[in-house]
Every structure is written in structure tokens, then in C-alpha cells.
Amino acid sequence: MPRQGLNRESVVEASIQFIEEKGYTAFSMGELAKSLNVKTASLYNHVESVDALFTEVGLAAVSQMVASETQAIKGKEKNDALFAIAAAYRTFAKDHNELYRVIMSLQKSKNKVLERAAGQITEPILQVLSGYGLSRVEQIHWQRILRSMMHGFVAHEELGGFSHYPADKNESYQMAVQCIADGLQNVKKEQNEDR
Amino acid sequence: MPRQGLNRESVVEASIQFIEEKGYTAFSMGELAKSLNVKTASLYNHVESVDALFTEVGLAAVSQMVASETQAIKGKEKNDALFAIAAAYRTFAKDHNELYRVIMSLQKSKNKVLERAAGQITEPILQVLSGYGLSRVEQIHWQRILRSMMHGFVAHEELGGFSHYPADKNESYQMAVQCIADGLQNVKKEQNEDR
DNA sequence: TACAAAAACTAATGATATTAGTTTTTGGGG
DNA sequence: CCCCAAAAACTAATATCATTAGTTTTTGTA
């Protein structure tokens, strides 16, 4: 009954912490409330719904991830930047796999929110690609290709999708990124041949 | 009270139909029961839990998907087969996007089940790759790369992850697959250079 | 034809999110 | 310094889930 000094931000913050510690599936309004020494209903003074809360958590997670990526590519360009961002992406997904799931479940939510997130996610990737002398449209294509590969890989990896085979996953990932690096190289080559 | 002649199989079948029609999120034991003219509790004579039921649905979906892929690559090899399986994968994911989600949520489930599914999913992909003269280990790496790209792409696409940009998604996907085709080509080239 | 197993049912429990309505706290204006 | 309105917390209730226990009904077969 003494006030806990909660607000939207601190509730989101607490949710992130809860999810990182106890996991995605353990989360509920009741459990969150308990961890804040508050009754469940009190949370609704600060957030409209569990969905809205998850959206906030997802956006915060996106910011964290983008920050990691941005940090990772600082001062790098071309393939150095490419391998760096790919490594940062995968590392974040592994180190914060519960948050990564929230990011990926974010998509299904609505309109504006999604656009803001998409814009953020795209930014460091486009920065990396800007070093390859691509046209505007090519950048969009390759941005999609890179994101697909990175997400597809970590999604399979984390969900146990390609367990146990006698081949190192780090090496698989390196090969995947190299494949894209080579593909980007080819774009330039083809342009030269066009002249 | 007259018997509905249900059994595990028909319940799974009905679940698939329900999910395809009304969607993943609309599903509940109660709604399923309603669609079968049965009380909720009766379903438990045939399935142990919602989780077990979803596992069954997921495995059935995997079978369908693998069948599509297998059909698509019949009589093809090398890049023909590669582009065919990639197209079939994406088409299935789009045409049965609710089922595709179930497949992807399958992963988190347990041990044996997962292995069986993984084995099935891998099969037609390895068949395609067998045309490229790869070593055993290389096959595993490239299988992971291809699966990552395909899943990553359709996941982003379906969840609205890379909406609206002025670049055709079909073309992005073609480029992604071409990138892998070129990568596979390079493996051979490098082997030749080794001699 | 009777009976036992299978299939359906009723009723209950315990999570869950959410809302309505009530009490408590507290910061700023008289 | 005190009062009061808004904000923050609370209590209580509802509705939706999955799931289980215990009961009745149906039906194949001995």
C-alpha cells in the first residue's frame, strides 16, 4: 500500500528483467506484479494490456540489439563490417534469447510500432551495405537477404532446429556470411561486365 | 451423446482444418470441441494435452510440406532442383501460413519428436544438395545455410517484417537463392584449385 | 444378451487477463 | 500547514483457458 513509484517505464524495465531471468513462458501479469510487490490490477494503471507491454519490451529489445550492432561495425567497412554485424546479431540472439523471441513475436503486432522497429533494425544493416556500391533497389534486396539469413540461422539454432550433426555451427554461420559476401562481390562484377 | 466416432487421428485432422480456417490464435480446446459437436473434456479421451495435439499437428504439417518439396524436385537436379525446392518451401509457407507457424513452434518441443521432424525436413534438401558433389560435412553446412535462408525469408515476409519497400519480394527471394547457388558453385571451384 | 471398455458427459479447480469500483497516498495551491 | 483532487494502489468479480475426477452412455463381442 505504500506506493512503489511505478510508471510505464519501470514496469517495462521490470518486465525485461523478469523475462531475461525467468524466461518468456514464465511471464504473467501476476508473476510480474509479485516481483514488484504489487497486486496484479495495479499494473493496469501503467500499461493497457499484456500485449501493449510486450510491444514495449520488444521495442526496447530492438533498441538494445541495434545498439550492439552499431557498436560492432563502428570503424569497419565492407566485409569486415559485414562479418562484424552478423556476429553481433547472432551473439545478441544467443545472449538474450528470451528477448530475441519477443522481438520476433513483435512483428505480428500492429502498424506504426512495427514500422518504427523495422526502421531501426534496418539501419545498421544498410550502413554496412552502403560500402558495396549498390543501387537503392539492390540495397533493399540484399538487406532482406542478409536479415533472412541471420534470423533464419539463429532461429533454427536456438529452437534446436539443427542440433547435433557433426559439423560446427560457428563454421556454418561463417560460411553463410561468406556466401553473402561473395554474392555482394558478384553484384559489382556484373556491373563492370555491363559496361 | 451419440458417439461422434472420434479418435486421435480425426481430432488431429479436425485441428488442422480448424487452424487453417480460423487461424492459430483462434484455436482452443473449447473451440475445437465445439466444431466437433462434443464437450471439451471429451477431447481428452483422444489426446493427452494441447501440447501433444500441437505436436501431432506440427508433424502432420511437416509431412505435407516435405511432400510438396519432394514433388517439386522430382526429376530435377542441381540449380533446377535448388530453385524448385526453394519455391516450393516458400509457396507452402504462404499457402499454409498458419500451419507453417505450428511447424516452427514445434521445435521447442521434446527430443524424439523433434528428431523425427528434423530428419524429414532435411531429407529433400539433402537430396538437392547431393547433386553438387559436396563432402558429408559440406552438405551439412549448406543444408543449414539453405534452410536458414528459406525460413528467415518467409518468416520475415509473413510477419510483415519487410513490408512495403519499393523492391519486389519475389526478386529478393530469387536473388537469395541465386546467392546460394553461386556459393555452392564456388565450393567446387575451390576444390579444383586445391589440387 | 450381458458386460466391460471406450467415449461421452457433468462438475470442479486453478491459471490467466482484464474491468469496475473503492481506498490510500501525495504533491501543490489555498 | 492543511486540504483536495489526481494518481496509485487495492479488493472483488468476470470470463476464458486447460485439465482432472468422477459419472453415465454407448457399443462390440463373448
Side-chain angles (χ1 to χ4, degrees), chain A residues 121-168:
Chain A
I121 290 173
T122 299
E123 197 180 275
I125 295 175
L126 289 177
Q127 198 177 317
V128 170
L129 293 179
S130 71
Y132 288 91
L134 306 176
S135 73
R136 170 121 182 74
V137 170
E138 281 165 347
Q139 274 200 18
I140 296 172
H141 286 307
W142 284 98
Q143 170 260 130
R144 289 175 179 166
I145 292 169
L146 181 54
R147 281 170 69 195
S148 295
M149 183 69 87
M150 294 190 300
H151 168 56
F153 197 94
V154 304
H156 275 100
E157 194 174 15
E158 282 188 10
L159 301 180
F162 36 61
S163 37
H164 73 49
Y165 287 107
D168 184 58

Side-chain angles (χ1 to χ4, degrees), chain B residues 13-41:
Chain B
E13 176 57 42
S15 301
I16 291 175
Q17 201 167 324
F18 186 101
I19 290 170
E20 293 230 69
E21 277 173 21
K22 313 265 178 68
Y24 196 53
T25 57
F27 182 91
S28 74
M29 292 301 263
E31 289 300 314
L32 177 62
K34 215 177 287 176
S35 80
L36 288 167
N37 291 311
V38 146
K39 301 299 170 188
T40 306

Side-chain angles (χ1 to χ4, degrees), chain A residues 52-115:
Chain A
L53 179 52
F54 263 71
T55 298
E56 293 286 340
V57 169
L59 288 176
V62 166
S63 291
Q64 282 185 32
M65 185 163 194
V66 168
S68 289
E69 292 173 325
T70 303
Q71 177 62 32
I73 62 175
K74 187 179 291 179
K76 300 205 174 71
E77 58 166 26
K78 307 254 189 126
N79 284 1
D80 281 351
L82 179 66
F83 279 92
I85 201 171
Y89 188 102
R90 180 162 172 247
T91 299
F92 184 92
K94 284 171 101 112
D95 289 352
H96 306 91
N97 79 86
E98 296 289 340
L99 281 188
Y100 186 74
R101 289 159 113 98
V102 178
I103 292 177
M104 282 304 144
S105 76
L106 200 62
Q107 314 285 24
K108 71 177 188 309
S109 50
K110 292 289 178 281
N111 45 56
K112 300 298 170 190
V113 178
L114 180 50
E115 276 176 39

Side-chain angles (χ1 to χ4, degrees), chain B:
Chain B
M1 268 179 232
R3 296 207 177 172
Q4 300 305 118
L6 295 185
N7 53 45
R8 185 171 246 260
E9 203 183 342
S10 63
V11 170
V12 171
E13 176 57 42
S15 301
I16 291 175
Q17 201 167 324
F18 186 101
I19 290 170
E20 293 230 69
E21 277 173 21
K22 313 265 178 68
Y24 196 53
T25 57
F27 182 91
S28 74
M29 292 301 263
E31 289 300 314
L32 177 62
K34 215 177 287 176
S35 80
L36 288 167
N37 291 311
V38 146
K39 301 299 170 188
T40 306
S42 305
L43 296 174
Y44 289 85
N45 285 317
H46 309 290
V47 293
E48 308 79 55
S49 66
V50 124
D51 273 357
L53 179 51
F54 262 70
T55 297
E56 292 285 341
V57 169
L59 288 177
V62 166
S63 291
Q64 282 184 32
M65 185 162 192
V66 168
S68 288
E69 292 174 325
T70 303
Q71 176 62 31
I73 62 176
K74 187 179 293 179
K76 299 204 174 71
E77 59 166 27
K78 307 251 187 131
N79 285 1
D80 281 351
L82 179 66
F83 279 91
I85 201 172
Y89 189 102
R90 181 163 172 245
T91 298
F92 185 92
K94 284 171 102 113
D95 289 352
H96 305 92
N97 81 87
E98 296 290 340
L99 282 188
Y100 185 73
R101 290 159 113 98
V102 178
I103 292 177
M104 283 304 143
S105 76
L106 200 63
Q107 314 285 27
K108 70 178 189 308
S109 52
K110 293 287 179 282
N111 44 55
K112 300 297 170 190
V113 178
L114 181 49
E115 275 175 41
R116 186 148 62 90
Q120 278 194 81
I121 289 173
T122 298
E123 196 181 274
I125 295 175
L126 289 177
Q127 198 177 316
V128 169
L129 293 179
S130 71
Y132 288 90
L134 307 176
S135 74
R136 169 122 180 74
V137 170
E138 281 165 348
Q139 273 200 19
I140 296 172
H141 286 308
W142 284 98
Q143 170 261 130
R144 289 174 178 166
I145 293 168
L146 181 55
R147 279 170 70 194
S148 295
M149 183 68 87
M150 295 190 300
H151 168 57
F153 196 95
V154 305
H156 276 100
E157 194 174 13
E158 281 187 10
L159 300 181
F162 35 61
S163 34
H164 73 48
Y165 288 107
D168 184 59
K169 283 175 204 135
N170 298 323
E171 199 179 336
S172 298
Y173 194 61
Q174 286 302 112
M175 287 171 64
V177 179
Q178 184 65 53
C179 179
I180 290 177
D182 292 346
L184 285 165
Q185 198 58 39
N186 282 341
V187 177
K188 231 181 290 177
K189 211 180 296 172
E190 281 158 26
Q191 279 173 347
N192 290 339
E193 283 162 8
D194 277 357
R195 288 193 263 114

